Amino acid sequence: MIDTTSILGYAKPWSVAPGETVSFHLSSAHLPSASLKVVRVRCADPDPNGPGLKLLHAATPLDDGDVQLSSQPTHVGSYASVADGPILSGLTAFSVGCYIYPTIVGGCRQTIVSRWNDRLDSGWKLELDDEGHLSMTVACKGMTRSARSSRSILRREWIFVAGSRSADGTIRLEAVSLSRDGGRERVFSVEDEGFPAVQWPAATPLLFAAQWTGDSRPNKETFNHFNGKIDRPRLYGAALTRADVQQLVETLHPVQTDPLLVGAWDFSLGMNGDEITDLSANNLNGSVHRLPMRAATGANWTGQIHSWTEDPSQYGAIHFHEDDLEDAGWAATTTLSIPDDWQSGFYALQMTTSNGSVPVESYAIFFVRPPRGRRTSDIAVIAPTATYLAYANNHSRLDQTHFEVMADGLMIITADDVYTNEHRELGSSTYDTHSDDSGVCYSTGARPILNARPRSNTFNYVNDTHLLDWLEEMGHGYDVVTDEDMHREGARLLSGYRVVINMTHPEYYSKEMLDALETYQNGGGRHMYLGGNGFYWRVAFHPTKTGIIELRRGLTGLRSWETEAGEGNLSFTGEPSGLWRSSGRAPQRLCGVGFSAQVFDFSTYYRRLPDSFDDRASFVFEGVGADEPIGNFGLRLGGAAGLEIDRAEPNLGSAPNIMILATADRTGAGGIPAPEELPALYRGFTGEENAMVRADMVLYPTSNGGAVFSTGSIAWCCSLSHAGYANNVSQITGNVLNRFLDDSPI
Amino acid sequence: MLQTDPKTAHFPVDPNRLDLVEEFRRAPKGPYSPDLQKIVHRMRWGGEGGRFVLIPVEPGKKWMLGLLPSRRGDAVKTFSDKTFTRLADAEWAVFKIRWEAITGVRIAEETDQKP
Ligand SMILES: [Fe+2]
């Protein structure tokens, strides 16, 4: 076996043009050094039944000599901070209050607001303790006093909470639940005598949702992270009564000129960035760290609106998680300037050494695009980096329980899975839930991603390279354009290409990406969609930072978690997220077919339909018999139609002139339709009994001599290499590509 | 919140249906008769006796039995002494564990020995 986890790394950014620089951030817990080599990836799949691993060495200065490795820690957990200053360090009599909606109660200590230096064991903090009780704690010079609630509070219920210290040292804790119904009432008013004199630690930040260790990077800076939402935190320079502090928290417009108002933060401002804004006259603005979820409903959300853009003031909460991560923050181990003569493609940094007698081999992926403003081929392949991010370090097979029954067989997990299961600090995919069961809505590339690299689990990245391998085998050059390039640069990036190809699973699309493809089609472009479950979820890339996507799963679709009520719109852009179908752009509109079903037990084949004998489509089937099953072979469960499959549907926008050339509708009992396909629940809806569960192969002409060809199956490209590439999946793909490359109108 | 609950798998398993045990032993990868399919669904959905998985030792050739944790993030247990060179043998080994966990009845060794 090869050890793929003893060295890990990532490249920043993922997409680089010749002449630009990519940095590599590597870490090993125990290995001192490694050899580095850059490879161009033609096939990332070592499966001996397929083409095998094909990694082409690209000579670089990194070839000379080993690189020293160090162990670089990854710290997780989001929080917000406000830099220290005399007004905060001098607060001896004060009140701190906010609304909270805790999503974990008990089992761990969680800090709501603090000004604390843990090295000195000194400061104050408002917290939810490991038994789920609220407490206000003051510590100084070896003395610690707390006012603590007599009972645990409730998970996923809003509660007003406040702590105070008065001039004589008395500590108070106050809390009142917002719901009184159904036995949910929690009211606490607790006092402790405290101690009369305090001296706070110097140079200590005010933190929301965490406590400061007293240390700095690369060491761990924060701990006792809070899980849940914090809304409208306020800090006041006197010990107020409960009613007064609750009034201060409740109001959206605190009296700015009140000299005792220290800070009043409105988290609804600057939703798409990292800043938090103080409404007080002190301008104690701060920032969030490690991507907590913004655009979260506040305690004042009425349910009358569903988008934060309609009334941001109802979205003044931030949802923090102890396992949030934005950038692993590892120092760059080395960098590489991309030579001018490198061809565009999928690339990876290969790191090798040995761990005792076991060979170590690990990869950090990146993509080389053609030189900016130029094409170097007639074919553009779109690297679905939004989808790679969405699936990055997917833990769902480990954490969710339905995968064995879905595949109708024992799951095979890899050493990478075993590693990511225990190393949650590498962050989650948007399929996962946080430790508090809320959905993961952001994913980032600046961290090791174990399931998008050569030798990794086969979904997405590895499958996609089967298309690259086939293109190269057939002698076709190609340019690689990543999702993020297309998102940021739009249609101009695609213009001029004769053919644009989507790979096996372009599931996550931003509006900008969809607009670019549609514009390309309308301009006479030839579009081949050789995947399944494409153009399904609506996402956005971060407005300013590279390599970060956001998704809200909404309330329909094949969703591993569900958006919380009212939280379906993206914090980055305000757009509604969820299915593209819910935004009026079902995948059928773009490429004729859209998500129909999952089939994870076995794959099947297509059979030709009458449209395939139409003169306009005859080129597709040159060399293919009339009754030949198409794709009754392949590396993914034995067929070209499987895993996730798409069908044509005029009601969802399939083109009026569409030709349905072939269909794969014998998917069996494991062919389970997507939830949005069913208007009611009834017997007999699986692929064993129902042909709605199917993959359709379609072709249709578009304006200006353009055309679209779609196969609607993830498994398609993993059948291309069967029998030495001499098979009808390869034949059909080649027929279409060659015809599409030919300029004459279709 | 959307969650799946493995404890909801409740198709009744009759410990006397040794014919179904024999059917599984003969063809652990299926296809299964309707009654056996439902028992297999219950086992794979509910994971009674353990959420077992396979971990490749030699890709495509040899697998080791593993057990997923019941609490998320806990270590995956591995059984280096339980390896298989055929996926069907692994299915049969796990079937026996789960049959016993559900019915309380151990599948007799002689069933195992039959050619
Ligand atoms: Fe998908």
Side-chain angles (χ1 to χ4, degrees), chain A residues 1 404 410 413 421 433, chain B residues 44 54 57 72 74 91 98:
Chain A
M1 284 299 279
E404 188 184 348
L410 279 170
I413 68 166
N421 176 56
T433 50
Chain B
R44 291 178 174 158
L54 296 175
V57 180
R72 139 178 178 161
D74 285 356
E91 293 285 357
R98 290 174 173 169

Side-chain angles (χ1 to χ4, degrees), chain A residues 387 391 431 459-460 505 507-508 532-533 536-537 558 595 598 644 714:
Chain A
T387 298
Y391 278 87
Y431 284 80
F459 223 50
N460 297 321
H505 193 197
E507 180 175 356
Y508 291 83
N533 183 225
Y536 191 61
W537 294 105
L558 187 48
F595 191 40
Q598 280 196 335
E644 293 174 11
I714 290 180

